[in-house]
Amino acid sequence: MKKTTLLFALVAAFLIIGCTTKTKKATSEEKEEITQSPMIQKIAELKAAGYEIVDYHGHLKGGLTMEELLEHSKKTGIDYGVAFNAGVGFPITDDATLLENYNKYKDYPVFMAMQAEGREWVDMFSKENISTFDYVFTDAMTWTDSKGRRMRLWMPEEVFVDDKDDFMDQLVDKIVGVMENEPIDLYVNSTFLPEVLQPEYDTLWTNERMDRVINASVTNNIAIEINARYKIPSATFIKRAKAAGAKFSMGTNNVDKNLGTLDYAIEMIAVCGLKPDDFFKPVKK
Ligand SMILES: [Zn+2]
C-alpha cells in the first residue's frame, strides 16, 4: 500500500511540475510577443476600453489579397473597411462594374466601402447601387482650379500653386463643395497639401480655413479621416474639430501590402482626448 501511495505521489508531483512549467512557458512567450508589439497591446487596451479600432481606408492594392488582409486583421486586432475606387480612369466606372465588384467581396467579414474618385462620380452610378456599400468616401485631391488646370495633389508635376493663399482658398472651397454636394459619409486624406506646401501646413491651415472645413463636416454629418499614412490632420485641427462636434474615422490608405497599425491615428486618441463616441460607426449591411 505504501509503495502505491508513493507512486501516486510521484506521478502527481510530475504532473504538477510539468503543468506549471508549461504554463510558465506559455505566459513568458505571450509576454514576449506583447513586448515585441506595443502597438498591438495598445490596440487591445483601447478595445477593452470601448473603442472600435477599425481602419476604414484599406485597399487591396499592390497584390494584397483579402485573405492576407484578414490575416493581418487577426494578428493586430484591427478591423477593416475595404475600399474600392470608382470613377473616371478607375476599374469601376458604371453600375455593372460596381455591382460585379461588390458581389465578389460582400461576404467577407469587412466593411465594404466605395471610394468615389474625381468630381464626376455622382452622375456615374445609381443611388441604389451606391447605397449597397456600408459607407462612401472621397477626398479633395483631384480638382480643377480657377484657370482650368486639373490637378491631382499627390502628383508634384500636376500641381499648380501661383499664389499660396489663393491656392488654399480654392482648396477649402473644393472641400466645402464636396461636403455640400456629394453624398458621402467620410472625407478622407483630410487637409492633405501638395508636397510643395507641406512644410507650411500649420501656417496655411489658418483658424478660419480649418473652421470652414469643420463646420461643413458637422453640418453635413460627414466624418473626418485621421490618416495614418500622411499623418494628417494636425492635432490642432483635430482638437478644434472635436470641440465643434465633428466625428472622426481612422484610415491608412495603403498603396501596397503594408497595412500598418494605424499608429498616427491611435496616437491622436490620447493627444486630442478622443472618446469612443467621437468616432464614425457605420452599420454593416
Ligand atoms: Zn484610398
Side-chain angles (χ1 to χ4, degrees), residues 82-125:
V82 177
F84 301 93
N85 302 71
V88 173
F90 287 88
I92 299 171
T93 50
D94 55 19
D95 283 327
T97 42
L98 187 77
L99 282 183
E100 191 186 312
N101 186 82
Y102 180 79
N103 288 327
K104 191 172 164 187
Y105 295 109
K106 69 176 169 42
D107 293 330
Y108 285 97
V110 294
F111 289 104
M112 291 286 289
M114 175 178 178
Q115 175 161 4
E117 296 285 352
R119 309 277 62 88
E120 313 85 353
W121 74 277
V122 177
D123 300 316
M124 293 170 67
F125 310 97

Side-chain angles (χ1 to χ4, degrees), residues 206-275:
T206 59
N207 287 347
E208 195 200 341
R209 287 178 184 137
M210 287 194 277
D211 288 347
R212 283 194 63 207
V213 171
I214 292 165
N215 293 339
S217 100
V218 173
T219 308
N220 297 287
N221 197 21
I222 294 167
I224 296 168
E225 178 182 81
I226 304 175
N227 187 280
R229 179 171 152 218
Y230 295 123
K231 299 186 171 62
I232 45 176
S234 65
T236 308
F237 184 103
I238 297 168
K239 285 177 190 168
R240 214 173 167 90
K242 177 181 157 60
K247 299 276 183 207
F248 304 93
S249 69
M250 298 193 273
T252 295
N253 189 15
N254 62 300
V255 286
D256 51 29
K257 290 194 177 204
N258 182 18
L259 285 161
T261 43
L262 287 171
D263 300 20
Y264 176 75
I266 285 172
E267 191 193 320
M268 285 302 114
I269 290 177
V271 172
C272 304
L274 301 178
K275 303 283 175 258

Side-chain angles (χ1 to χ4, degrees), residues 34-35 37-46:
I34 289 166
T35 355
S37 315
M39 193 46 82
I40 292 176
Q41 190 183 4
K42 180 81 203 159
I43 289 164
E45 284 168 14
L46 286 167

Side-chain angles (χ1 to χ4, degrees), residues 48-236:
Y51 290 85
E52 287 176 16
I53 304 298
V54 186
D55 185 335
Y56 285 110
H57 194 167
H59 287 299
L60 298 179
K61 287 184 177 172
L64 180 74
T65 64
M66 189 65 98
E67 285 69 24
E68 287 168 333
L69 178 135
L70 293 172
E71 189 62 34
H72 181 79
S73 168
K74 211 171 129 190
K75 205 173 78 189
T76 57
I78 299 173
D79 287 320
Y80 277 87
V82 177
F84 301 93
N85 302 71
V88 173
F90 287 88
I92 299 171
T93 50
D94 55 19
D95 283 327
T97 42
L98 187 77
L99 282 183
E100 191 186 312
N101 186 82
Y102 180 79
N103 288 327
K104 191 172 164 187
Y105 295 109
K106 69 176 169 42
D107 293 330
Y108 285 97
V110 294
F111 289 104
M112 291 286 289
M114 175 178 178
Q115 175 161 4
E117 296 285 352
R119 309 277 62 88
E120 313 85 353
W121 74 277
V122 177
D123 300 316
M124 293 170 67
F125 310 97
S126 77
K127 269 195 183 126
E128 193 193 349
N129 287 336
I130 292 170
S131 68
T132 54
F133 285 88
D134 298 319
Y135 58 98
V136 180
F137 65 75
T138 192
D139 59 32
M141 289 166 88
T142 307
W143 47 276
T144 304
D145 74 359
S146 56
K147 291 184 179 165
R149 301 174 291 199
R150 192 178 198 260
M151 294 190 277
R152 288 187 290 174
L153 301 190
W154 68 98
M155 311 275 278
E157 63 278 15
E158 291 185 26
V159 169
F160 306 96
V161 182
D162 302 329
D163 175 275
K164 289 171 190 174
D165 284 311
D166 178 54
F167 177 93
M168 286 303 296
D169 291 337
Q170 288 195 54
L171 173 64
V172 171
D173 283 345
K174 292 292 166 189
I175 300 169
V176 171
V178 163
M179 288 181 171
E180 285 174 350
N181 302 312
E182 300 184 19
I184 55 166
D185 304 294
L186 301 179
Y187 158 54
V188 304
N189 301 321
S190 350
T191 70
F192 179 88
L193 292 184
E195 204 182 331
V196 62
L197 297 180
Q198 277 168 19
E200 291 167 79
Y201 181 102
D202 290 324
T203 318
L204 294 172
W205 275 109
T206 59
N207 287 347
E208 195 200 341
R209 287 178 184 137
M210 287 194 277
D211 288 347
R212 283 194 63 207
V213 171
I214 292 165
N215 293 339
S217 100
V218 173
T219 308
N220 297 287
N221 197 21
I222 294 167
I224 296 168
E225 178 182 81
I226 304 175
N227 187 280
R229 179 171 152 218
Y230 295 123
K231 299 186 171 62
I232 45 176
S234 65
T236 308

Side-chain angles (χ1 to χ4, degrees), residues 1-8:
M1 280 295 273
K2 269 189 177 173
K3 266 186 186 171
T4 325
T5 315
L6 187 67
L7 193 68
F8 265 119

